[in-house]
Amino acid sequence: MKIDIMSLDLSELTEFMTSIGEKAFRAKQLYDWMHVKHVPLSEMSNISDKLKGILDEKCYFATPEEIKVQESRIDGTRKYLFKFADGNMVETVWMKYHHGNSVCISSQVGCRMGCSFCASTLDGLERNLTASEMLGQIYKVSNLTGERVSNIVVMGSGEPMDNYDNVVRFVRLVSDPGGLNISQRNITVSTCGLVPMMKKLADEKLQITLALSLHAVTDEKRREIMPIAKSYTISQLMDACSYYFDRTGRRITFEYSLIRGVNDTEPDAEGLIKLAGGVGAHVNLIPVNPVTERGYKESTREAVMAFKNKLEKKRINVTIRREMGRDIDGACGQLRRRYID
Ligand code: SAH
């Protein structure tokens, strides 16, 4: 087994370098090449050829290869299909906003959560991504675009809380002042609601935003569209949200994909007001994006606006997510691990 070198923090990397007979300062140089300058081994100019040979033989450098890129004609969003050394592929999305550039990364190859409106879960879960492979997606995108990344959303394919240790390691590495140094406040991790892991995450005392994919306000309806709802009730989810807020001081975001005739009625809005009000959550409404294999239709523009207005009247903090990259199947719930045939 090769050493997953880009997943090591500086002290672990130092330990590794000394174990192969190198001086400690080499670790800092290597860390800087990997996490600040993002260059391949061959371009690390102050590392000797001999050491490069050893590292090449012993280590896995997780930066993926670009297989394909699609650019939205509407908003300039780019969707990349990336391939890792073992042949597995994931999609990563780059979005330009007025306030900076966001990268949406995948946390798993595929997903096993089975949400009925989402494309990422269609072929099940293939494997978890390592922390380095999550970093690698960001480094690759920033190299390809030549631009600085300011925000990260872990909202691509995969369920981050189903790959907990790697995701937490990733957050620590990407926010490391000695690395890419992205503020934790600019990182959002989204979950379909694995209650024990949400609580565990709260105890890590990170400053990231936790987003909960709620999508329904009764257990009955939620169970129809999200299999995970059979394991955890909405009341348990709300407890976990309160706990997260108490421990971190960070407001939760609810993601709510509006599906025509399924969850966009008056009682749905009322239920959502109660839940969001109860835990002080910010609500992000997403008109559901089309997925060929799924039959759902997005709510009409009028229904979306009416839904939003109801929430606003009750002073719920609500936004409608701009659907970036829909024409390239790069929007929420449209990411896959292969070409669409
Ligand atoms: N597994 C995590 C991360 C995925 S984030 C989670 O469930 O939160 C992607 C977000 O897009 C989630 O809120 C997800 O529920 C939502 N989503 C999935 N399919 C969608 C679709 N077709 N249209 C709009 N949003 C969708």
Side-chain angles (χ1 to χ4, degrees), residues 36-314:
V36 181
K37 303 193 184 92
H38 325 137
V39 302
L41 194 53
S42 59
E43 289 169 31
M44 299 181 182
S45 57
N46 58 4
I47 306 274
S48 71
D49 286 346
K50 179 165 165 263
L51 179 53
K52 280 179 188 163
I54 295 170
L55 294 173
D56 190 41
E57 185 199 308
K58 285 191 189 295
C59 303
Y60 170 46
F61 289 84
T63 311
E65 179 192 340
E66 178 191 358
I67 299 298
K68 189 181 177 183
V69 58
Q70 286 169 275
E71 179 161 343
S72 165
R73 261 165 291 176
I74 305 169
D75 52 42
T77 294
R78 286 188 209 161
K79 181 174 77 165
Y80 294 94
L81 182 66
F82 285 148
K83 185 163 110 186
F84 294 105
D86 68 351
N88 272 305
M89 295 194 266
V90 297
E91 292 186 315
T92 306
V93 180
W94 185 73
M95 293 161 282
K96 248 179 132 72
Y97 291 99
H98 308 295
H99 60 265
N101 303 318
S102 275
V103 177
C104 174
I105 63 159
S106 292
S107 57
Q108 295 179 314
V109 181
C111 182
R112 57 176 180 153
M113 295 296 127
C115 298
S116 68
F117 40 79
C118 183
S120 303
T121 197
L122 286 168
D123 299 321
L125 175 68
E126 183 62 34
R127 70 167 174 87
N128 283 332
L129 292 184
T130 59
S132 59
E133 290 167 335
M134 292 179 242
L135 291 169
Q137 294 171 61
I138 296 167
Y139 299 167
K140 187 76 187 185
V141 169
S142 94
N143 282 357
L144 288 168
T145 58
E147 294 204 42
R148 221 193 111 69
V149 172
S150 47
N151 292 275
I152 295 168
V153 296
V154 187
M155 293 194 179
S157 58
E159 167 48 51
M161 294 296 99
D162 190 37
N163 184 16
Y164 185 89
D165 292 342
N166 290 332
V167 167
V168 168
R169 180 174 276 272
F170 159 77
V171 168
R172 295 218 159 93
L173 285 167
V174 81
S175 59
D176 176 10
L180 197 60
N181 194 17
I182 306 265
S183 160
Q184 289 185 0
R185 290 171 176 266
N186 295 345
I187 302 174
T188 299
V189 171
S190 179
T191 179
C192 64
L194 278 66
V195 166
M197 294 300 145
M198 291 165 71
K199 289 191 173 156
K200 194 169 171 197
L201 187 67
D203 292 332
E204 308 275 354
K205 298 265 184 69
L206 299 170
Q207 282 298 296
I208 58 176
T209 298
L210 179 63
L212 170 65
S213 298
L214 189 60
H215 306 319
V217 297
T218 64
D219 288 320
E220 197 188 359
K221 196 175 286 181
R222 200 162 186 268
R223 283 193 285 259
E224 279 170 25
I225 56 177
M226 301 177 72
I228 191 69
K230 291 173 189 146
S231 306
Y232 307 107
T233 62
I234 290 178
S235 140
Q236 289 172 311
L237 283 174
M238 295 307 117
D239 280 350
C241 288
S242 299
Y243 185 73
Y244 190 87
F245 179 73
D246 288 346
R247 298 288 289 179
T248 64
R250 301 285 295 158
R251 221 178 238 283
I252 299 276
T253 296
F254 286 169
E255 292 161 281
Y256 195 93
S257 297
L258 287 162
I259 312 172
R260 192 185 300 187
V262 174
N263 64 0
D264 61 352
T265 65
E266 177 109 35
D268 293 311
E270 279 158 14
L272 188 53
I273 289 164
K274 283 212 185 80
L275 295 177
V279 298
H282 168 105
V283 176
N284 203 199
L285 298 174
I286 320 167
V288 81
N289 294 302
V291 174
T292 325
E293 294 84 341
R294 311 299 205 191
Y296 296 123
K297 286 209 166 56
E298 67 191 277
S299 304
T300 60
R301 191 74 206 156
E302 297 74 60
V304 173
M305 292 317 290
F307 204 91
K308 175 171 184 262
N309 289 339
K310 280 194 196 99
L311 269 60
E312 273 175 343
K313 269 206 189 108
K314 299 290 178 183

